[in-house]
Amino acid sequence: MDMFLTHRKPHMKMRWVHCARVERPTILRLAVKYQLHPLPVEDTIQLEQQSVPIVRKYNDNFFIVIPLLRLTEEAKRKLSIYKEYRTRRASDDLKLEDLIDIPQVEQCRFAAFTAGPPHYDTVISFMTEWKVSKLHADNYDNEGQSANRSAASPGADEMGQGSPGRPLMETPLPMPVPTPGGGVVSSIQLRLPSARQDSGEEQDFFAGVVRQIQRDYSMLRSGNSSWVLWRLLDVTVDELSPILSAYRAQLRWFSSLITREEARVSKDVEKRLLRSKVELDWLQRKVRPMIKVLKHIIRDKAFDPNVTRYLEDIEDHLNTFLEEVSRIMGVCHSLRDEVNSYRDRQQQKVLYVLTLVTTLVMPTHLLTGIFGMNWQDEEGKPVVPGLGVMEESRGYYLFWGLSVGLTTLIWLTFSRVLKWI
């Protein structure tokens, strides 16, 4: 997308060139046209391998690389179903078991060249293809492939928009609009695909930025490259909130299940909780380096102080996000402890019952040993010391009477005197 708009100075123009899934020739053409530094150009060509967010300043121009994270379309659909279930209770036959794996995150890498002083006239951004994170790809046929990829036309061109040889259509908006700073936006030209107006992932991600530029009196319409860069970073951080909502929904489901089932919860739930904790740790490691990128930009004096304030707000949102991720990880650990607590409690109950039964039958075992001894009197009759001759008519009732009497005495002692039962 190319956007040409005037700022406060009559002849000052601002352009935003956004390229998705580009190849090496396109990057080199743009590098020659806009005289980009060779080092960031090399990083852009190898954007798929840029795993760590970076920010560099070459002369008066900035180059940043950050990850883009968002929920897949399937995850968003499940999350909306879960929210509807919680608010309206409209789907009584809804199987919440199907919504356990709500968090499904896909990612891509984003690189941007931003012109600094004195012109602030150009932003060139690049995106790689959206791919489902390997940690979240268990339910997908092709791990690492985009979860919500539509049936795009084959043979996409270098810009990732349209088929080879298909020209880009320019949509002019020629109406002059006064800006709050006294300038006039003479025209905005959006370069969009002429025939491929599907739900492409790249276009949708920054669709809000385009709408804000088209809106009268918006900050982006009257701003420069630093304002566009702020808005791109702001959209990137805003897309992180649904991910937290998905994990909260998942943990609420687990919490209600554990409360209801207690020790009967399957071990699969504990495995899923451990997996969620690993995913959250991965998410935290992906997002945390972005704070360093923001701090570097905020400290640079080349940016307008008004833009810096907005960037500080993004930094606050990122810190809040990381704190919330840490809290959710703690909830995962607490739920696992709760499951283990229920199981330990059940084991203690089992051990308690077994110990009680063993104690109650102990008199019977003791009397069995005593009555089974082969003691005889002088006449050769079986006897038990202290109880006399054990004839059949007498010994049977004596054995069971003593057993029941001693067992009852132990029961009364435990329940009434010691209060153990």
Side-chain angles (χ1 to χ4, degrees):
M1 285 175 274
D2 276 4
M3 283 162 287
F4 305 94
L5 56 92
T6 60
H7 191 47
R8 297 180 180 178
K9 296 182 180 180
H11 301 290
M12 185 175 181
K13 292 184 177 181
M14 162 65 201
R15 66 182 60 86
W16 171 29
V17 183
H18 181 62
C19 308
R21 291 183 293 195
V22 296
E23 296 180 354
R24 181 187 182 95
T26 302
I27 298 176
L28 294 178
R29 291 190 191 106
L30 291 172
V32 172
K33 179 178 180 180
Y34 294 104
Q35 299 179 356
L36 303 178
H37 196 280
L39 287 179
V41 170
E42 184 69 22
D43 291 337
T44 306
I45 293 174
Q46 301 176 358
L47 189 56
E48 288 281 357
Q49 287 74 40
Q50 295 292 335
S51 58
V52 179
I54 61 173
V55 55
R56 298 286 187 269
K57 188 175 182 180
Y58 299 93
N59 298 326
D60 291 326
N61 302 321
F62 294 88
F63 173 71
I64 66 169
V65 175
I66 58 174
L68 302 184
L69 302 168
R70 69 178 183 184
L71 287 179
T72 62
E73 292 299 324
E74 179 66 16
K76 291 178 181 178
R77 185 188 65 83
K78 289 183 177 182
L79 182 60
S80 63
I81 293 175
Y82 183 81
K83 288 181 178 179
E84 181 180 359
Y85 175 82
R86 284 182 57 86
T87 55
R88 300 181 182 179
R89 301 286 180 174
S91 303
D92 296 334
D93 57 343
L94 179 65
K95 295 182 179 179
L96 291 181
E97 289 79 2
D98 298 335
L99 305 180
I100 295 178
D101 289 325
I102 290 179
Q104 293 286 347
V105 179
E106 57 183 356
Q107 62 173 331
C108 76
R109 292 178 177 86
F110 174 82
F113 295 86
T114 304
H119 301 294
Y120 297 98
D121 58 349
T122 304
V123 173
I124 306 174
S125 56
F126 302 89
M127 289 174 61
T128 61
E129 185 179 2
W130 286 100
K131 294 182 180 180
V132 178
S133 168
K134 292 183 179 181
L135 292 175
H136 304 82
D138 293 350
N139 294 336
Y140 289 77
D141 296 333
N142 295 323
E143 185 171 303
Q145 297 300 318
S146 177
N148 61 347
R149 184 183 305 156
S150 58
S153 57
D157 65 359
E158 297 173 353
M159 298 290 286
Q161 300 168 350
S163 58
R166 181 174 296 166
L168 296 179
M169 178 182 64
E170 293 186 355
T171 306
L173 299 176
M175 292 187 300
V177 181
T179 63
V184 175
V185 177
S186 59
S187 66
I188 299 178
Q189 293 179 333
L190 302 180
R191 300 185 63 190
L192 300 172
S194 58
R196 184 170 175 249
Q197 298 293 342
D198 59 1
S199 58
E201 304 96 358
E202 295 81 8
Q203 286 79 15
D204 286 347
F205 194 84
F206 293 119
V209 180
V210 176
R211 287 193 297 268
Q212 188 172 357
I213 292 175
Q214 293 174 334
R215 191 182 306 129
D216 296 342
Y217 301 101
S218 66
M219 288 185 295
L220 294 187
R221 195 178 180 94
S222 59
N224 54 24
S225 61
S226 58
W227 285 97
V228 175
L229 178 62
W230 156 73
R231 192 68 183 98
L232 296 178
L233 295 175
D234 189 47
V235 170
T236 301
V237 175
D238 288 343
E239 286 292 329
L240 298 176
S241 297
I243 300 177
L244 285 182
S245 299
Y247 277 102
R248 290 193 194 98
Q250 184 188 54
L251 293 183
R252 278 196 295 265
W253 191 92
F254 280 135
S255 179
S256 61
L257 177 66
I258 293 171
T259 303
R260 182 175 65 254
E261 299 293 333
E262 294 185 353
R264 297 186 298 275
V265 173
S266 65
K267 291 185 178 180
D268 184 59
V269 173
E270 188 174 1
K271 292 180 181 178
R272 289 176 182 271
L273 285 172
L274 180 60
R275 173 186 167 185
S276 297
K277 189 174 181 180
V278 172
E279 292 172 357
L280 288 166
D281 181 67
W282 170 85
L283 186 65
Q284 196 175 49
R285 286 186 285 108
K286 281 286 183 180
V287 174
R288 182 178 287 115
M290 292 175 60
I291 296 182
K292 295 182 179 179
V293 173
L294 283 171
K295 286 183 178 295
H296 188 281
I297 297 175
I298 290 171
R299 287 195 297 263
D300 199 294
K301 301 299 182 181
F303 281 86
D304 188 342
N306 293 324
V307 180
T308 303
R309 295 189 186 96
Y310 285 94
L311 291 173
E312 290 174 348
D313 182 67
I314 297 178
E315 182 186 3
D316 293 338
H317 289 169
L318 273 180
N319 287 321
T320 303
F321 174 83
L322 293 175
E323 292 174 1
E324 188 67 13
V325 169
S326 299
R327 190 191 69 82
I328 295 177
M329 291 174 63
V331 172
C332 290
H333 185 72
S334 299
L335 290 177
R336 289 186 60 206
D337 289 344
E338 186 177 353
V339 172
N340 294 330
S341 176
Y342 281 125
R343 289 176 180 169
D344 292 341
R345 194 178 305 173
Q346 185 186 40
Q347 292 177 358
Q348 291 175 1
K349 289 181 180 179
V350 172
L351 292 175
Y352 171 77
V353 172
L354 292 176
T355 303
L356 180 61
V357 171
T358 302
T359 305
L360 291 177
V361 300
M362 189 179 298
T364 304
H365 287 289
L366 178 62
L367 291 175
T368 299
I370 294 176
F371 275 73
M373 294 180 181
N374 295 323
W375 286 322
Q376 295 179 353
D377 60 4
E378 296 177 355
E379 299 177 357
K381 296 181 179 180
V383 297
V384 174
L387 298 179
V389 179
M390 293 293 105
E391 297 178 351
E392 181 179 359
S393 59
R394 178 172 177 270
Y396 182 82
Y397 295 104
L398 185 61
F399 173 81
W400 285 111
L402 288 174
S403 298
V404 173
L406 292 175
T407 300
T408 304
L409 179 63
I410 293 175
W411 174 268
L412 293 175
T413 302
F414 284 1
S415 59
R416 300 296 177 86
V417 180
L418 300 178
K419 306 292 184 181
W420 288 353
I421 301 177

